[in-house]
Amino acid sequence: MLGRELENRANKLVRESKERAEKAKRQAEKERIVRQRQDERQRQFEEQKRQQRLAEEAAAEAERLKHDEDLETNNGVWWQERLMAVPLEANVAEQLGIKRSTDKIRLPKSAGDALMSQDAPKNGAMLFELATSAGRSVHAGVLDFSATLGTVAVPAHLIRNLWGLTTCDGQCHGDVIVTYRRLPKGTYVRFQPRSAGFQEAVGESVEQVLQASMFTHSTLTQGEWVQVQHAGTLHDLKVLALKPQPAVSIIETDLEAEVDPSVETEEKLRAEEEAAQQRLQAMQRAEEEAIKQAMQDANLREQAQADREKIRQEKAALLPPEPSSNAEGPIVSCLFRMPDGTRASRVFLQSQPAKMLFDFADAKGAGGLPFGGYRLVMQFPRRVINAASVQTQSIAEAGLTSPQEVLLLEAVHQAELDAT
């Protein structure tokens, strides 16, 4: 008994030791997985930070290169500032006697000080790019440097271009980034009127009208909408193209101008082209459908002809041999005249089923008539044999008792078939 008890205790100790070892192993594995996941998250976090740092460095490098490029373009002058846009008082430029007043902005004194310290006037008239956070941009000249600190006063023309032609309240809608730009002198501009009435209104004086309007501008930007006045009416024209760059100065330069067909005209032409294209596509679809239908009809006809030929052969195969002239029982020689002009003849026993007359006609093609869609007619006097009425009759019972009979195949209309 004592030995057994000791053995049980020993086994229990071994079992408990194994369980503790397994538990410790599972715990170690769990901790390993946790550490592995933590290491992976840390690795991903560090990689994300590295990618973010690389992106920031790339952006900074691109910004530096852009700054250097702008600095070179601007002949060593650089100035940029985010300013709160406010409307410029109407007609203030005209009151100051400034002709090119349509796109003149008013900047704060700090901007003027920064530009003068870099000798910006050496590049000629000081010009600027105004850009919104929405990505719209336009260029302008400067009226003076008397704006309130932190603001830029913007005329109505630029407000319309920066915040949309539908901006009717004359108010600015957000800050703008104002950047000093040294622009090349423009040599070419291509306009597109919004309304087709522009060309009709100005006629041959389009060059003089455009020239008079351009005298009120300092710059032009591709995509900009300008207003041209003629005979008391304002016309919107879009700047489609410029040379030598997408933004140019038009101060003291000869500018070649072209005018494209209006937006309305292009929309009308585009609508007409789309309508013509739709008509062409509809005709093509109709033609394709007609071809498809014709092919289907041809296939159906071929199938119908194949089915008809199969039935004809089956009926011909079912006909018994033609009886001879000395056959037992009375006979009748029948001449079948088909509607297509063909003829067929055969001798029948008068005791044979009358249905065999139709089977023989079908075996000969029934002159093109539908199987079951005709009746047999004997003349002088006129007698009619319908397939439905002689199903159980013999040829003699159907009325063919003469030695010779002539049978005409006469088409039966569907209404007559339905009535039988």
Side-chain angles (χ1 to χ4, degrees):
M1 292 293 293
L2 181 60
R4 184 179 296 277
E5 184 178 352
L6 291 174
E7 182 179 356
N8 290 338
R9 289 181 178 179
N11 290 337
K12 181 180 179 182
L13 289 173
V14 170
R15 187 169 60 254
E16 290 176 348
S17 177
K18 286 183 178 180
E19 290 176 353
R20 286 193 297 272
E22 287 295 328
K23 184 177 180 181
K25 183 178 180 181
R26 288 195 298 272
Q27 182 64 27
E29 178 63 17
K30 183 178 179 181
E31 292 175 354
R32 185 190 68 80
I33 293 174
V34 170
R35 286 195 302 271
Q36 185 178 17
R37 290 176 178 174
Q38 290 176 341
D39 292 344
E40 178 63 20
R41 285 196 294 269
Q42 182 64 26
R43 186 193 67 78
Q44 291 178 355
F45 175 75
E46 291 177 354
E47 177 61 20
Q48 184 178 5
K49 295 294 288 183
R50 189 181 73 85
Q51 293 294 337
Q52 182 179 353
R53 185 177 65 256
L54 291 175
E56 291 174 352
E57 291 175 355
E61 178 63 15
E63 183 66 24
R64 186 189 64 80
L65 292 175
K66 181 67 168 58
H67 179 272
D68 291 346
E69 180 182 348
D70 289 343
L71 199 62
E72 182 178 355
T73 301
N74 293 342
N75 194 21
V77 179
W78 168 256
W79 178 82
Q80 183 182 79
E81 192 171 345
R82 178 183 290 274
L83 299 171
M84 181 178 70
V86 297
L88 180 66
E89 300 92 329
N91 302 323
V92 64
E94 291 88 336
Q95 293 171 5
L96 295 175
I98 297 175
K99 292 182 179 180
R100 298 182 183 272
S101 58
T102 302
D103 58 354
K104 288 288 197 303
I105 60 174
R106 175 171 278 168
L107 290 169
K109 181 177 181 299
S110 58
D113 293 341
L115 290 166
M116 294 303 291
S117 67
Q118 300 177 68
D119 194 18
K122 67 184 178 183
N123 294 329
M126 285 185 279
L127 307 174
F128 301 86
E129 178 187 13
L130 283 74
T132 67
S133 57
R136 290 180 175 174
S137 66
V138 71
H139 293 75
V142 62
L143 180 64
D144 57 35
F145 296 96
S146 62
T148 303
L149 184 64
T151 68
V152 54
V154 184
H157 166 73
L158 299 184
I159 291 176
R160 294 178 74 243
N161 278 277
L162 289 172
W163 289 285
L165 298 183
T166 57
T167 301
C168 301
D169 57 4
Q171 299 300 311
C172 302
H173 298 270
D175 294 347
V176 292
I177 297 176
V178 185
T179 307
Y180 172 82
R181 297 295 187 197
R182 183 188 179 198
L183 299 180
K185 291 184 179 296
T187 58
Y188 169 84
V189 59
R190 179 157 53 91
F191 292 107
Q192 183 180 37
R194 177 184 296 277
S195 170
F198 173 74
Q199 284 97 332
E200 298 174 3
V202 299
E204 297 181 357
S205 59
V206 59
E207 183 178 351
Q208 293 82 356
V209 172
L210 290 176
Q211 187 177 32
S213 177
M214 291 304 99
F215 274 136
T216 67
H217 289 257
S218 301
T219 67
L220 286 177
T221 306
Q222 190 166 302
E224 176 182 3
W225 285 91
V226 299
Q227 285 191 321
V228 175
Q229 186 172 19
H230 177 70
T233 302
L234 288 174
H235 301 273
D236 283 325
L237 277 70
K238 187 176 184 179
V239 179
L240 292 183
L242 288 166
K243 292 180 182 180
Q245 292 183 9
V248 298
S249 166
I250 58 172
I251 301 173
E252 297 179 355
T253 182
D254 292 329
L255 194 64
E256 179 188 355
E258 291 183 355
V259 179
D260 277 8
S262 68
V263 175
E264 285 183 353
T265 301
E266 285 196 348
E267 289 176 349
K268 181 180 179 181
L269 291 174
R270 184 163 53 249
E272 291 175 352
E273 289 176 359
E274 290 175 356
Q277 185 66 22
Q278 290 174 358
R279 288 194 298 271
L280 177 60
Q281 291 174 353
M283 291 174 60
Q284 291 175 342
R285 287 194 298 268
E287 183 178 354
E288 292 171 0
E289 187 62 29
I291 293 173
K292 181 180 178 181
Q293 187 62 44
M295 293 178 64
Q296 291 177 349
D297 293 344
N299 292 336
L300 290 174
R301 285 194 299 271
E302 290 178 2
Q303 184 62 42
Q305 290 173 358
D307 294 342
R308 182 182 177 88
E309 178 61 20
K310 181 180 178 181
I311 295 173
R312 189 194 68 77
Q313 292 177 2
E314 290 174 350
K315 292 202 172 186
L318 291 174
L319 288 172
E322 184 176 3
S324 62
S325 58
N326 56 359
E328 295 183 1
I331 61 174
V332 55
S333 177
C334 296
L335 174 64
F336 293 81
R337 294 172 61 181
M338 311 292 182
D340 63 354
T342 59
R343 299 185 179 193
S345 61
R346 178 186 166 102
V347 175
F348 296 90
L349 291 172
Q350 293 184 14
S351 60
Q352 288 178 319
K355 178 178 177 296
M356 192 179 295
L357 299 171
F358 291 91
D359 290 341
F360 175 76
D362 289 345
K364 294 301 181 179
L369 293 174
F371 296 153
Y374 62 90
R375 55 195 169 199
L376 300 175
V377 178
M378 296 179 289
Q379 295 179 324
F380 311 116
R382 178 181 171 86
R383 290 166 291 165
V384 177
I385 303 176
N386 290 305
S389 62
V390 296
Q391 289 295 316
T392 60
Q393 294 180 353
S394 67
I395 291 177
E397 291 172 338
L400 281 76
T401 55
S402 300
Q404 295 181 341
E405 295 284 359
V406 177
L407 300 174
L408 281 68
L409 275 67
E410 186 177 271
V412 179
H413 297 299
Q414 187 62 43
E416 298 180 66
L417 292 174
D418 294 340
T420 58

